[in-house]
Amino acid sequence: MSMYQVKPIYEGAIKADLPTCMYTIPSVHEQQAGSSHSEHAHQNGESDSAVRALEARQDEIMRKLVELKAAVDGLAKTVATPDADLDLTVGSSLASPSPTACTFSGTADLDALLGKDLGALRDIVVNANPAQPPLTLLVLHGLLCQRYRVLSAVHVHSSVSAVPAQLLSCLGAHQADGCARHLFQLGFTLIWKDVPKLQMKFSVRSMCPIEGEANVARFLFRLLSPDPTDAALATLVDSWVDTAFFQLAEGGAKERAAALRSLNGALGRHSWLAGPELSLADIACYCCAVHSGAAGAAPANVQRWMKACENLGYFSRATLQ
C-alpha cells in the first residue's frame, strides 16, 4: 500500500448541493500499521521494473546508433571520392543468384582482403566507360552475389550524356530504395563515367585506384577464391588472362585467330582452361571473345566450352541483354 491512498467516503446525510462521493487521505499512523516487509517488497518491484525499462531503452538507442554509424560511414565514403558529383541515381539492387550455383574449392577471407569489418559496409566503387563495358566485372558481380550479401547500385556521372538502357540495369533487377546498409557485406557501385581506363576503389579514403579491367578482375576474383597455392597453376591463369585482354580483346584478326587456336587446343585436353574447375581464365577469355565478336567463328572445342559457361547462368550478363 502506498503512502497516500485515495479512499471514497459516501455521505448519506449531506445537503443536496454537495457531492455524494468525497475523497479523504488516511493518516500517516494508519499507513504505519501496514507491514513494512510488504512495503519494501513493493518498492523493490517498482525499482526492478524501472531498471528493466531503462535497459531496454538503452539497447534500442545503441541499435539505432549502430545503424546510424553504418549510414554515416557509407555517406563519408561517397563524399570522399572525386566521383561524388553523380547527377543520376539509377537504383540499388540485391542481385538474385542464378539457379545454377558455381562453387570454388577455397574460401576467401574478406577481413584479410578488405580489412576488418567494423560494422560499416565495405564499398567497392568502379568507374567504367560505357563505350567499353567491363563484361568480366558483370560476370564476377553475379558470382559475388552468390557468395555474399551485396548491395548494388548503378550511377551515371555528369561527364556522360547518355547511357543505353541495358547498361543501367546491368547489375540485376531494381531493388526498392531504403535498404538498411548494415544488412549487407559488400557494396558494389558501378559508375558510368568518361574515363580512359577502368578504375576501382574499395577503400576510398586511403588507397589509390586499381586501373585496368584485367587487374580489377583479378582483385574481385580473389574475393571468391584464394590464389592457387601451385605457382605453375597461378602462372597459367595469369597467362590466359593476358591472352584474353591483349589478344582477344585488343589484338588484330591474326592475334585473335591465334588465341582461338590456343584455346581450342587447351580445351581439347581439359573441360576448363586452368584445371578441373572454373577460374578467372575462363571468365576473362569468354567475355573477351564475346566482346570482340570472335565467338561466332570459334572452333568446336571453344564452342563447347562457351556453351558450358553459359549453362552456369552468370555468363548471360556478358551479353548485356
Side-chain angles (χ1 to χ4, degrees), residues 240-263:
W240 280 120
V241 172
D242 290 341
T243 297
F245 286 98
F246 294 134
Q247 291 186 248
L248 285 175
E250 301 176 4
K254 291 184 178 179
E255 291 176 306
R256 291 175 184 170
L260 288 175
R261 287 195 297 271
S262 298
L263 284 172

Side-chain angles (χ1 to χ4, degrees), residues 5-283:
Q5 180 175 357
V6 178
K7 287 187 176 181
I9 299 178
Y10 297 94
E11 303 286 349
I14 310 181
K15 297 180 181 179
D17 58 342
L18 293 179
T20 59
C21 181
M22 298 182 62
Y23 296 87
T24 63
I25 300 176
S27 65
V28 176
H29 299 288
E30 183 179 351
Q31 291 294 328
Q32 291 177 347
S35 172
S36 60
H37 178 74
S38 61
E39 182 176 334
H40 286 302
H42 183 69
Q43 291 176 352
N44 290 337
E46 290 181 348
S47 177
D48 292 343
S49 178
V51 170
R52 286 194 296 271
L54 184 61
E55 290 176 346
R57 183 181 177 187
Q58 184 179 13
D59 291 341
E60 178 66 14
I61 292 174
M62 293 302 297
R63 184 187 65 80
K64 291 182 178 180
L65 284 176
V66 171
E67 294 180 359
L68 182 61
K69 180 182 182 301
V72 170
D73 288 344
L75 290 174
K77 291 180 181 180
T78 303
V79 172
T81 177
D83 305 310
D85 55 335
L86 307 176
D87 54 4
L88 174 61
T89 299
V90 179
S92 302
S93 66
L94 176 60
S96 300
S98 168
T100 304
C102 183
T103 59
F104 300 96
S105 57
T107 300
D109 183 0
L110 280 184
D111 289 343
L113 294 169
L114 299 181
K116 183 67 176 176
D117 180 11
L118 299 178
L121 184 67
R122 292 174 284 201
D123 286 296
I124 295 173
V125 181
V126 176
N127 297 323
N129 197 318
Q132 298 176 332
L135 302 185
T136 56
L137 269 61
L138 302 185
V139 175
L140 288 169
H141 171 266
L143 291 169
L144 286 171
C145 289
Q146 174 187 315
R147 178 67 62 85
Y148 307 107
R149 299 185 303 276
V150 182
L151 179 63
S152 307
V154 178
H155 300 291
V156 177
H157 192 265
S158 57
S159 62
V160 177
S161 58
V163 174
Q166 63 268 28
L167 296 184
L168 299 180
S169 59
C170 62
L171 296 186
H174 176 73
Q175 178 82 6
D177 295 333
C179 295
R181 290 171 59 86
H182 70 279
L183 299 178
F184 299 89
Q185 295 172 283
L186 288 175
F188 193 103
T189 302
L190 176 59
I191 303 173
W192 295 117
K193 183 180 179 182
D194 186 12
V195 290
K197 186 179 296 186
L198 185 138
Q199 302 172 342
M200 188 211 75
K201 297 179 181 180
F202 74 88
S203 180
V204 177
R205 297 178 182 175
S206 59
M207 74 167 290
C208 295
I210 298 176
E211 295 190 341
E213 185 174 348
N215 293 327
V216 174
R218 288 185 173 99
F219 176 87
L220 294 180
F221 193 80
R222 290 189 179 100
L223 302 182
L224 296 166
S225 180
D227 290 330
T229 55
D230 185 347
L233 181 59
T235 302
L236 178 62
V237 172
D238 283 336
S239 176
W240 280 120
V241 172
D242 290 341
T243 297
F245 286 98
F246 294 134
Q247 291 186 248
L248 285 175
E250 301 176 4
K254 291 184 178 179
E255 291 176 306
R256 291 175 184 170
L260 288 175
R261 287 195 297 271
S262 298
L263 284 172
N264 194 60
L267 294 169
R269 298 186 295 271
H270 305 285
S271 299
W272 303 105
L273 289 174
E277 64 180 20
L278 179 78
S279 71
L280 181 60
D282 302 283
I283 297 173

Side-chain angles (χ1 to χ4, degrees), residues 280-302:
L280 181 60
D282 302 283
I283 297 173
C285 287
Y286 176 94
C287 292
C288 289
V290 170
H291 180 71
S292 65
N301 292 334
V302 177

